[in-house]
Amino acid sequence: MVSSSTTPIVNGEATARENNIERMEIGILDRLTSVIPQPRSVEKKAGSVKLTNDWVIRVTQDLSNEVKYLKRTLARETALSLECVNQEAKADRPSISLSIFEGSVQDQEQYSLQIGLHEISIKGASAAGVFWGIQTLLQLLQDDTLPCANIEDWPETEIRGIHIDLKFQMLKFDYLMGLI
């Protein structure tokens, strides 16, 4: 499903609709730039996609832990219950595809996340790369909706870290645990 509409705009409705579209676009940009850790490459595409129970998860290699994690997290955060199918199954439904890169890679935790209108593809250099792609996907998910984008990332160092300065604000424990 696409979040855009072709309804004609009449007189005073035009300004309100333009403002809503502008706010929505700023919200999408905020989501794309607020991913932690910030990806190396983010290319925003037009539109957004809404996940529903019609979507399936397609898997090629043995990524059973990653599939379980994605299904469990989506069920907990969004109440979506997605079916898991083999990559070779007929592609008649929108899908989230999880797979391993073929060929040379920068790092074993490298991933590519492509969010389109009918397919979301997460490719990793290893299972760890697929896991980091899933983490990025989950951070972008808001109200069962994802912005269309192409994202690539790999770590600069072997350890991924985050610094949280608690000097001026006290963050809730649940928020901090969510970062982990």
Side-chain angles (χ1 to χ4, degrees):
M1 293 186 195
V2 182
S3 295
S4 61
S5 174
T6 57
T7 308
I9 300 171
V10 182
N11 299 334
E13 293 178 17
T15 305
R17 180 165 168 82
E18 288 169 4
N19 288 339
N20 285 339
I21 291 172
E22 186 175 310
R23 271 193 299 258
M24 187 172 72
E25 289 297 319
I26 290 171
I28 288 171
L29 287 175
D30 285 346
R31 277 194 280 164
L32 288 171
T33 58
S34 67
V35 172
I36 299 173
Q38 190 169 15
R40 291 182 180 261
S41 169
V42 177
E43 176 190 338
K44 183 191 172 306
K45 298 190 309 189
S48 60
V49 61
K50 183 164 181 70
L51 295 182
T52 64
N53 282 321
D54 291 337
W55 284 69
V56 295
I57 300 173
R58 296 184 178 285
V59 186
T60 53
Q61 290 84 0
D62 181 30
L63 296 168
S64 59
N65 290 335
E66 290 71 20
V67 170
K68 286 177 193 172
Y69 175 74
L70 177 60
K71 287 181 72 168
R72 184 177 58 238
T73 306
L74 285 174
R76 184 181 67 236
E77 300 292 327
T78 66
L80 289 172
S81 178
L82 303 186
E83 179 185 349
C84 185
V85 297
N86 191 315
Q87 187 74 13
E88 285 77 32
K90 186 178 176 187
D92 58 348
R93 293 166 58 186
S95 63
I96 300 173
S97 174
L98 306 178
S99 61
I100 304 292
F101 279 132
E102 295 178 12
S104 64
V105 294
Q106 299 282 341
D107 187 275
Q108 288 303 304
E109 293 186 6
Q110 179 178 355
Y111 71 88
S112 169
L113 169 62
Q114 298 176 336
I115 304 171
L117 297 177
H118 302 289
E119 183 177 10
I120 297 169
S121 171
I122 300 174
K123 293 182 181 179
S126 65
V130 173
F131 174 78
W132 288 113
I134 291 170
Q135 292 296 338
T136 300
L137 177 81
L138 294 172
Q139 286 186 56
L140 292 172
L141 189 62
Q142 184 176 348
D143 299 325
D144 299 349
T145 304
L146 292 162
C148 292
N150 291 333
I151 298 173
E152 287 190 34
D153 192 26
W154 61 91
E156 194 168 313
T157 61
E158 287 188 28
I159 299 173
R160 288 184 181 240
I162 181 172
H163 172 76
I164 301 173
D165 186 2
L166 299 175
K167 185 175 181 180
F168 296 107
Q169 64 183 5
M170 193 59 154
L171 300 174
K172 293 186 180 202
F173 182 74
D174 292 336
Y175 174 77
L176 294 172
M177 290 306 291
L179 291 175
I180 298 173

